[in-house]
Amino acid sequence: MAILTVSRQVASLGDEICAALANKIGYRFICRRDIEKRIVELGFPAEKIAKYDERKPGFFASLAKNRDEYLDCLQTAILEAASDNNCILIGRGASIILKSLPNHISCRFISEDSIRIKRLMAEKNWDEKAALKRVAESDANRAGFYKSFFNFDIKDYSQFHLVLNSGLLDIDAITEIIAQGLSRLITEEKEYAGMKLLDELLICQRIVNMLVFDYRLNINFLRTSIDGDRIMLHGVAESAAVVERALIIASCELPQYKIESAINVVQDFKAYPQ
């Protein structure tokens, strides 16, 4: 019936809550490993995922073409997973990628720092200093990830349907609150509209992947949008010839749509260091 996305602080019991919720309501829990596996299957080098996965890219990594390729593969993996419906996705910007879907509910799990530190000390057998360092690093990395890839402030709780404190509520209470929210908020009309929009988002993302990965067209920041039977290409290219080729390829692959361009042509444009 719905697509649930979860953002969480480290040691706020995010995975445990998601697993319990999935069992309670019969949803599929799509964990970190599932998304990572799909990103690699889509062609992104496994050895480079650690530079981008839920962390702010370093200076050189943020300027590399791999950054945009990672984002394209990540968005594809999230959209594909969501297309099965009745699923729970955790982290990796899923709440932003799926934000426009009417059948989407987003949750944020938090806890006080002192509680998270105690949990890490018990789980990892760490001293307080090591646990405190882990909390600080994780919070900074996740905030940097959302800011870098989505220009989103993870501390802006107004962007979530539910913000739940696992230091004050136990897992049973949290899963019950979410289950009740899903049953009240998601209607058949919202589910239908959401899955229709998700199909369109997948078409848009697959056009991007086709042009960038299959045909290796040099169009930077390539994105697409659908309005009825029209698909618009957005981005920056070095020449009109590249734009024309993109239009021809997309038109041949999707003859049912009218393909148009809003791509800016900027000669000698260099998005990444050479």
Side-chain angles (χ1 to χ4, degrees):
M1 232 187 111
I3 299 162
L4 180 74
T5 59
V6 169
S7 170
R8 78 285 186 225
Q9 294 178 320
V10 68
S12 64
L13 305 181
D15 287 279
E16 293 88 342
I17 295 169
C18 288
L21 179 63
N23 184 62
K24 181 183 183 71
I25 62 178
Y27 276 31
R28 185 165 64 100
F29 175 30
I30 300 163
C31 67
R32 170 180 181 170
R33 291 184 297 275
D34 297 326
I35 296 300
E36 285 183 354
K37 179 182 177 182
R38 183 57 182 148
I39 288 173
V40 173
E41 289 174 350
L42 289 165
F44 192 81
E47 66 274 12
K48 293 184 178 180
I49 286 182
K51 293 182 179 180
Y52 303 100
D53 189 53
E54 285 204 322
R55 66 176 54 247
K56 180 181 179 180
F59 177 75
F60 290 107
S62 67
L63 297 177
K65 194 172 182 62
N66 283 147
R67 177 196 179 280
D68 287 347
E69 291 178 348
Y70 168 81
L71 181 57
D72 284 332
C73 290
L74 172 64
Q75 291 181 152
T76 303
I78 294 293
L79 291 169
E80 287 179 346
S83 67
D84 287 339
N85 207 359
N86 295 353
C87 61
I88 303 169
L89 296 106
I90 190 166
R92 272 136 215 98
S95 62
I96 311 301
I97 295 168
L98 304 174
K99 182 179 179 179
S100 61
L101 300 182
N103 61 329
H104 163 234
I105 299 293
S106 59
C107 298
R108 171 82 170 155
F109 299 153
I110 62 171
S111 289
E112 291 183 11
D113 287 356
S114 60
I115 293 175
R116 296 194 288 150
I117 288 167
K118 288 179 181 178
R119 285 172 177 164
L120 286 172
M121 291 173 65
E123 178 186 351
K124 304 290 187 181
N125 196 26
W126 288 345
D127 60 24
E128 184 176 359
K129 182 178 179 180
L132 180 61
K133 180 180 179 182
R134 170 61 174 151
V135 165
E137 288 179 346
S138 176
D139 287 354
N141 272 326
R142 289 178 181 177
F145 171 83
Y146 277 88
K147 190 66 176 178
S148 175
F149 284 100
F150 304 104
N151 193 29
F152 178 80
D153 181 2
I154 195 61
K155 294 182 180 179
D156 182 3
Y157 293 162
S158 68
Q159 300 299 309
F160 298 96
H161 292 87
L162 293 169
V163 179
L164 298 165
N165 189 330
S166 66
L168 300 177
L169 299 167
D170 62 24
I171 292 178
D172 286 342
I174 291 175
T175 57
E176 181 62 25
I177 290 169
I178 296 173
Q180 289 293 327
L182 289 172
S183 66
R184 290 178 178 271
L185 293 174
I186 304 301
T187 63
E188 290 185 6
E189 291 77 15
K190 286 185 177 180
E191 182 179 12
Y192 175 80
M195 299 313 292
K196 182 176 183 296
L197 178 55
L198 183 56
D199 287 342
E200 293 180 349
L201 292 175
L202 269 168
I203 289 171
C204 287
Q205 188 61 52
R206 285 167 177 163
I207 292 172
V208 170
N209 293 354
M210 175 182 66
L211 296 176
V212 171
F213 297 125
D214 298 339
Y215 288 91
R216 310 304 298 182
L217 295 188
N218 189 22
I219 304 174
N220 296 291
F221 319 121
L222 180 61
R223 296 291 178 265
T224 61
S225 58
I226 291 182
D227 182 9
D229 63 350
R230 295 169 61 249
I231 292 180
M232 188 71 70
L233 308 182
H234 309 264
V236 181
E238 290 185 343
S239 70
V242 173
V243 176
E244 184 63 25
R245 189 174 179 215
L247 289 171
I248 292 172
I249 292 170
S251 296
C252 291
E253 294 286 346
L254 295 166
Q256 69 273 37
Y257 290 95
K258 181 179 180 181
I259 312 297
E260 299 179 359
S261 172
I263 297 173
N264 293 315
V265 176
V266 180
Q267 292 184 350
D268 300 322
F269 177 78
K270 296 290 185 292
Y272 311 99
Q274 300 299 307

